[in-house]
Structure formats: C-alpha cells, structure tokens
Amino acid sequence: MVDHPKTLKVAIIGGGPAGLGAAIELSKRPFIDWTLYEKKPVISEISNGLTVQRNTWRMLERMGAARHIKASDFFRPVNGHHTQHRLFSNGITGKLIYTSASKTDGGPPHHEPCRMHRAKLQQALLKEVDQTRVLTGKKLVDIVQLPSKKIRITFQDGFVDEVDLLVGADGIRSVVRRFAFPNHKISYTGASSYRTLVRSSDALAINGLPREVIFWHGKDANWVYTCPLGGDDFEITVRIKEPASVEHYSWGRKADPLHLRDSFADFCLPIQQLTDLVTDLQQFDYFAGPRLETLIGNEAVVLIGDASHPLSGAFGAGAGFALEDAFVLGAALEWAVANGGGLRDALSLFDDVRSPHYREIYGVLDVIAQQNAELAKRGLEVSQEIDARIGERWKSENDWMLYYDVSKLLSRWFGMLETDRITGRESVC
Ligand SMILES: Cc1cc2nc3c(=O)[nH]c(=O)nc-3n(C[C@H](O)[C@H](O)[C@H](O)COP(=O)(O)OP(=O)(O)OC[C@H]3O[C@@H](n4cnc5c(N)ncnc54)[C@H](O)[C@@H]3O)c2cc1C
C-alpha cells in the first residue's frame, strides 16, 4: 500500500481487548492518526479468568500478540476436554453429566481453547501497541458532532479532541453508544456473578476437586465454575439469580465472601471447602440489551467489542468478538483507501460484515431462551431439568462462533465488492 500522509484522525475510547485490538490494527495503516483514551489510570484488566477461544487465538496471532503468551500463562486440559458439567443438587453431588469437548476444525493445536488470567491477555496486546499514543486517566464525558461532521470529545479533566472517526470500544456501558443510539438501553438480566481467585495449590489439595474446567450445576440455573488458570491461580466464578429489586451495578464491586458460602451451602463438600478459601470477592451484575441494527452512528462513529453487542459475556468469547471487530475495522479502512473510497464506504463495509454476525449470535441466544422457557413449563425434577438444559445449551451447533474465521469472510467480501461501488466518492484521507 502507498505510504499515505496521516490524515484520518481517530479516537479510540477504551483500553480493553477491543480498544487495544483497534490500536494494533489502525497502527498498520499509515494514513491513520489515532489516539486511545482510557478512563482508568493504567491499562488494566477487569475481573480475572477468561477463555481464549480458537477465534480469539486466531486474532491474537494476526495481531502479533500471541507471541507474548507462554504455555505457563494459561491452563488447557491435556485430554482436549473443554468443559465438564457436573450435577450438583439434591444430594447428587459432583456426578459428571456431560463433557463439551472442543471440536477439531483443522486448526492448529496451539489454537485449542484455554483459560487465562485477563491481565495476561491484556498485557500481550499492550506489548503490540504504540503506548505513546495511549492516554490514561481520560474519562470521556461528552460527545458533540460539529457541522463539519467531525466529532468533538470532551474528557472529565477538561481535555478536548476533535476527530474524523470515533471508535467506541468502551464496553457494555458505552458512553459512545449512548451518544450514537440514545434510545438503546441495557438492563439487569436477573442474575449476578461473583468471582475470585484462590491459590491453585490450595484448591487442588481438596479431595474431589478435579484439575479441569468445570461447571457445577445447581437449581434455578445457578452454577459454580471452577478451573485452574496459569501459574498458581485458581478461578472460582458463580452465577446466582438475584432479584432486580436489589441495587445492581454493571461491573466489579467488592462483595462479602459469606454470600458465596451461604448461597452454596447445599453443594457438595469439595465446593464448600473451596468457598471456605475465599477471602476476597467481586460482584459482576449481568446487564444486557437488544441488538443494534447497525454499529455505525452519525457517519463518523463505530462501535466495537461489548459496546457493539451488549450480551453480558454470552458464549465466553467476547474478547474474540472484540478483536474480530478491530481486525475488520482496520481492513475496511484500508480497503476503502486502496479503492479511492471514503470513510462512509469503510464503515459501511464494517457494518456489512459485523452486523449480520451479531444478528446470528443474538439468534442463537433467542433459541436457547425459548428452549429454557419451554423446559420450565415441563415441571421436571431438578436433576432432570439440569440434564435437559445442559443438553440444549451446550449443543455443538450453538458453538459455530467460536470456530468462526472472520478473515475468510472478509476475503469473500473483498472478492465480491466491485470497484465502481466506491468510485466517485470522497477519499477517506
Ligand atoms: C461473566 C463474564 C464472563 C466472560 N467470560 C469471557 C470469556 O471466557 N472469554 C471471552 O473472550 N470473553 C468473556 N467475557 C466477555 C469479555 O469480558 C468482553 O467481551 C470483553 O472484555 C470486551 O472487551 P471490550 O474491550 O469491548 O470491553 P471492556 O473489556 O469492558 O473494556 C472497556 C474499556 O473501556 C474503558 N472505558 C469505559 N468507559 C469509558 C469512558 N467513558 N472513557 C474512557 N474509557 C472508558 C473501561 O475502563 C475499559 O478499560 C465475559 C464477560 C462476562 C460478563
């Protein structure tokens, strides 16, 4: 590609996986002058473990970040099992009911899913980012579109910037989304998760706690999730249905470890022993909102990552989706420039590739929700209900998005697009 002058001014809001991915991808395009703004004082992770799915590995490799991740940074079960499901209710304690194994899709073994501390993922991405362009302690508080179509952004400390393109990578409670889609709302889903880390050496000393990735299922669709991460970290995450009447926050506040013990007092002894190890607990309330028809606003705003699909962590692949968004955004901008097109063409291509993807993902969730509602009407006893629910939810046909290769789709788009679609439009630079 020709070495263009830096003329497209871009602000990326948020230094999570989406924002860091965007920083890496935009850096590859010399015509883009970008700055990343993060409200926290340093770029840091939110919460602890996450699954690095196959699609996430694929993006990490393309972005150069995979090279910074060592085998000791994560946990991957040697037998290839991805997740065990154990029954854990009404005295049936710890019985293995189902194992969802990761499929072989012809991809390399080093792309097998694994569990990793979020900080490791974040740091691996950050190593590929030009940090002189990252401004921390910058909380975006106001957005205005000027008559020139440029976007003026104002931060809590009074700092102001004006850009051609605003990239909303500011997570599920996106300020950028509120600006572009003021009628869109997210709300509490009726369930919260509580998360913590204990030492692996302590957890795995418990008799009956396998060194595996495990959901321990209880009644009311509550569960305890246990797994080693890399090093001496062992993750405990639980999901508890809680009334909407209680005050809920979106993400990460301190909670009382006793709440965990009380909620799972009827669970089998290994889990009770595990909850006894917990000294520090964080609460994450699940918020979600409807699908956005488009991820583009005001012809100068694009949403990526959780800002673009407020799904509350569904499918455990949100970091992968975020990196895919960033990858497509960079490629779409480059494609538009290479074909003499404008920003509108680039954003339209981005939307054409990513919006249908999120429509299909929301569609899977709709089907699962319907199946669960029908299941609830059948009045099954607890262990049968869990059995049936797990069978439906973890069907392999629901997993396609974890194996999805966005670069193949993008190549097909580039092949399909005719140059005259963009001829005559203003240049992106
Ligand atoms: C319970 C749960 C489990 C999950 N498990 C997995 C998993 O196993 N695997 C997986 O891939 N994904 C998982 N996810 C999803 C994953 O966490 C998200 O999809 C991913 O973090 C999205 O990245 P992001 O960069 O879009 O948003 P975030 O990670 O939320 O980052 C947003 C960033 O924007 C900053 N920001 C926000 N507002 C402003 C502002 N006004 N000004 C400046 N900066 C701002 C924030 O401080 C933050 O750094 C899970 C999610 C949940 C809820």
Side-chain angles (χ1 to χ4, degrees):
M1 207 180 104
V2 194
D3 191 12
H4 290 264
K6 288 188 190 304
T7 48
L8 185 75
K9 198 158 184 261
V10 180
I12 303 166
I13 309 299
L20 295 177
I24 294 169
E25 289 302 305
L26 298 193
S27 292
K28 294 177 186 166
R29 280 79 197 193
F31 60 91
I32 298 176
D33 173 14
W34 63 269
T35 307
L36 187 153
Y37 297 99
E38 164 58 47
K39 70 177 176 184
K40 286 182 283 181
V42 286
I43 299 289
S44 58
E45 77 287 356
I46 308 168
S47 185
N48 45 50
L50 99 173
T51 304
V52 180
Q53 307 282 3
R54 280 185 181 277
N55 63 327
T56 318
W57 275 120
R58 202 174 273 131
M59 288 295 108
L60 289 171
E61 207 158 300
R62 278 192 174 264
M63 292 181 182
R67 77 184 73 241
H68 307 300
I69 300 172
K70 301 189 293 292
S72 57
D73 289 336
F74 56 77
F75 172 71
R76 179 186 282 144
V78 282
N79 56 10
H81 289 167
H82 183 187
T83 308
Q84 290 190 359
H85 296 267
R86 290 177 179 266
L87 192 57
F88 191 8
S89 154
N90 281 3
I92 308 166
T93 55
K95 181 181 152 199
L96 181 64
I97 47 173
Y98 182 71
T99 300
S100 54
S102 64
K103 287 179 285 198
T104 45
D105 66 344
H110 64 277
H111 285 181
E112 284 279 341
C114 66
R115 290 293 295 178
M116 188 191 296
H117 198 295
R118 282 166 188 256
K120 301 264 170 63
L121 180 83
Q122 197 98 344
Q123 288 309 314
L125 287 164
L126 195 55
K127 283 187 181 143
E128 291 297 311
V129 172
D130 173 358
Q131 292 179 41
T132 62
R133 290 164 170 267
V134 174
L135 301 185
T136 54
K138 289 272 180 282
K139 181 176 180 180
L140 179 67
V141 290
D142 192 45
I143 309 170
V144 175
Q145 187 157 37
L146 304 172
S148 64
K149 294 259 187 228
K150 278 186 186 279
I151 303 280
R152 177 184 293 156
I153 47 179
T154 307
F155 296 84
Q156 199 166 41
D157 61 2
F159 184 83
V160 176
D161 196 3
E162 271 177 32
V163 294
D164 303 305
L165 174 63
L166 179 63
V167 179
D170 49 342
I172 192 154
R173 289 214 152 166
S174 170
V175 173
V176 179
R177 187 177 60 229
R178 279 210 296 278
F179 164 73
F181 303 100
N183 295 326
H184 183 275
K185 299 272 178 290
I186 59 167
S187 53
Y188 179 58
T189 61
S192 294
S193 81
Y194 293 84
R195 311 188 71 168
T196 191
L197 293 181
V198 295
R199 284 157 44 146
S200 254
S201 42
D202 293 337
L204 295 171
I206 294 172
N207 177 19
L209 197 71
R211 195 169 181 275
E212 298 284 354
V213 180
I214 306 174
F215 278 101
W216 307 77
H217 295 276
K219 56 179 188 269
D220 297 331
N222 292 343
W223 43 252
V224 178
Y225 178 80
T226 61
C227 75
L229 300 175
D232 197 26
D233 289 333
F234 189 94
E235 175 184 349
I236 307 170
T237 295
V238 308
R239 176 194 191 270
I240 307 177
K241 273 195 180 168
E242 291 186 333
S245 54
V246 180
E247 195 181 359
H248 288 281
Y249 301 81
S250 181
W251 205 238
R253 66 175 154 146
K254 242 179 152 23
D256 185 350
L258 276 180
H259 183 48
L260 199 58
R261 278 169 225 160
D262 294 347
S263 304
F264 295 96
D266 64 333
F267 271 43
C268 63
L269 186 60
I271 294 297
Q272 289 180 32
Q273 287 173 291
L274 190 62
T275 55
D276 284 345
L277 296 177
V278 176
T279 54
D280 170 53
L281 190 65
Q282 278 190 308
Q283 179 173 349
F284 300 88
D285 298 323
Y286 290 119
F287 276 69
R291 186 178 71 83
L292 292 159
E293 291 291 329
T294 169
L295 310 179
I296 309 304
N298 306 59
E299 295 182 19
V301 176
V302 59
L303 300 176
I304 63 171
D306 278 9
S308 73
H309 60 275
L311 278 175
S312 218
F315 302 108
F321 301 158
L323 297 179
E324 287 170 350
D325 286 344
F327 174 76
V328 175
L329 180 61
L333 286 163
E334 180 172 332
W335 167 82
V337 165
N339 289 281
L343 180 57
R344 203 183 323 154
D345 300 299
L347 295 183
S348 155
L349 173 59
F350 173 85
D351 208 28
D352 285 345
V353 174
R354 295 309 280 167
S355 280
H357 188 61
Y358 289 126
R359 184 170 59 233
E360 286 180 46
I361 289 175
Y362 269 83
V364 175
L365 287 175
D366 289 344
V367 171
I368 292 172
Q370 200 182 338
Q371 285 163 343
N372 285 344
E374 279 162 17
L375 208 55
K377 286 191 215 144
R378 285 167 61 190
L380 298 174
E381 93 38 47
V382 179
S383 57
Q384 288 173 331
E385 190 276 333
I386 293 172
D387 234 344
R389 182 160 38 80
I390 301 319
E392 294 294 350
R393 162 68 183 82
W394 291 86
K395 274 186 195 157
S396 57
E397 62 255 37
N398 290 340
D399 282 357
W400 54 266
M401 74 287 294
L402 312 179
Y403 300 86
Y404 178 76
D405 186 347
V406 70
S407 58
K408 282 191 186 150
L409 181 73
L410 208 51
S411 305
R412 280 207 297 276
W413 266 99
F414 290 147
M416 277 178 342
L417 288 165
E418 290 170 16
T419 317
D420 62 4
R421 177 172 175 258
I422 55 166
T423 308
R425 302 236 179 113
E426 85 281 17
S427 167
V428 79
C429 306

